[in-house]
Amino acid sequence: MADEVVKKVRTRHFQNAKANGIKITGLTSYDQLTAAIFDKAGIDFLLVGDSAGNNVFGYDTTLPVTVDQLIPLTRAVAGAVKRAFVVADMPFGSYETGPDEALHTAFRFMKETGAHAVKLEGGVRSAEQIRRIVSAGIPVMAHIGFTPQSEHQLGGHVIQGRGERVEQLLADAHAVEEAGAFAVVLEMVPAEAARRVTEELTIPTISVGAGPHTDGQLLVWTDWAGLTSGRIPKFVRQYADLTGVLTDAARTWTADVASGAYPGPEHSYED
Ligand code: KIV
């Protein structure tokens, strides 16, 4: 959507983008500084993902993340944007017991953060939750394929929808569309499976490691910017080396302090 003159991205712009073959871009964000930068740069939507578990809180998985942890991060991101559409991720344990719990969590994000939509994981199994949230007037971004909150059940970071299992992927995709989701994230599925889903659905598909044939692309910003100590997934292209930049800056500053090169006279106050 980058070239379109859009003052504020709305759900209808996702739909227009699909109809006109314009690619949608999304990045995760967990704070107001990156949110403001990505917003000004024209990223269409910012996901305050439960990947904050790994990238902010230092957990090994997203499972321990709570609603109370994500609310202040989401508020910071939503408060920093002028154009981008902000999606709040519903963490593990905040919607699975049924539509009532899901709606309660969605209400919290919408009332307490200023987010524009919520995201939750699961296809057929989450359709009733999506239907209830949408019926309350809250846009839902669905998330199928590899769903990190189920990583123990899925046996780790395993590609989904291969071979005959594409039928389950399609069933999940149709279930979330039918339940009222305005877009669906496809994570770690083969490119051809993602193409089939994209062709069959009327709502836009967003790839996270699902190849080029979807309506949009989403990446975890720290992977994309090279600010990570962990393993970078195969599907990520690094657009910066922030680990290198910050390491060099920290080493140079340490050396300057040791040698007396910092602070200089220009950094000191007059009496
Ligand atoms: O939390 C997150 O960052 C996500 C994306 C990987 C889709 O859910």
Side-chain angles (χ1 to χ4, degrees):
M1 267 185 247
D3 296 338
E4 263 189 311
V5 184
V6 172
K7 282 204 180 124
K8 245 179 184 309
V9 178
R10 307 272 187 185
T11 54
R12 68 171 176 279
H13 296 116
F14 283 77
Q15 201 59 54
N16 291 348
K18 180 169 181 113
N20 295 304
I22 299 167
K23 295 283 186 180
I24 301 160
T25 54
L27 286 173
T28 63
S29 174
Y30 318 105
D31 67 277
Q32 57 99 12
L33 289 175
T34 59
I37 292 168
F38 300 156
D39 182 54
K40 281 205 189 97
I43 302 297
D44 297 315
F45 75 96
L46 298 181
L47 169 67
V48 188
D50 62 358
S51 51
N54 312 77
N55 293 313
V56 176
F57 300 115
Y59 304 139
D60 287 340
T61 71
T62 59
L63 301 192
V65 176
T66 64
V67 173
D68 287 333
Q69 284 175 316
L70 288 185
I71 281 196
L73 309 188
T74 311
R75 195 183 297 129
V77 170
V81 304
K82 292 196 164 53
R83 174 186 177 274
F85 189 84
V86 176
V87 181
D89 211 2
M90 307 224 309
F92 181 62
S94 72
Y95 60 94
E96 293 86 342
T97 62
D100 287 346
E101 184 191 37
L103 184 57
H104 172 77
T105 303
F107 276 147
R108 281 204 65 193
F109 276 111
M110 300 306 283
K111 288 169 95 73
E112 296 178 40
T113 71
H116 307 124
V118 296
K119 177 173 87 56
L120 52 80
E121 296 186 4
V124 172
R125 71 180 162 92
S126 297
E128 286 315 310
Q129 281 88 329
I130 294 172
R131 199 183 312 281
R132 178 71 70 86
I133 298 170
V134 171
S135 74
I138 301 169
V140 175
M141 179 176 275
H143 181 166
I144 62 172
F146 175 68
T147 45
Q149 293 171 11
S150 321
E151 75 163 78
H152 299 303
Q153 188 182 50
L154 297 174
H157 288 241
V158 177
I159 294 157
Q160 303 294 306
R162 275 194 158 135
E164 286 172 7
R165 277 165 295 186
V166 70
E167 296 306 329
Q168 182 58 50
L169 187 72
L170 286 165
D172 282 334
H174 283 288
V176 300
E177 171 168 278
E178 202 263 318
F182 74 95
V184 57
V185 171
L186 307 179
E187 181 164 353
M188 280 175 60
V189 306
E192 279 311 306
R195 184 208 290 276
R196 273 191 71 185
V197 173
T198 302
E199 284 172 0
E200 289 195 19
L201 292 195
T202 60
I203 59 171
T205 57
I206 309 290
S207 160
V208 179
H213 310 303
T214 53
D215 300 302
Q217 297 287 332
L218 166 66
L219 286 174
V220 171
W221 90 263
T222 44
D223 292 343
W224 161 91
L227 186 61
T228 177
S229 54
R231 188 184 61 90
I232 302 281
K234 168 188 161 76
F235 57 82
V236 174
R237 180 182 293 164
Q238 270 186 232
Y239 281 82
D241 174 22
L242 290 196
T243 299
V245 168
L246 292 178
T247 304
D248 287 350
R251 286 191 180 135
T252 306
W253 186 65
T254 304
D256 283 357
V257 170
S259 70
Y262 177 86
E266 71 277 25
H267 304 120
S268 303
Y269 296 109
E270 302 288 321
D271 204 358

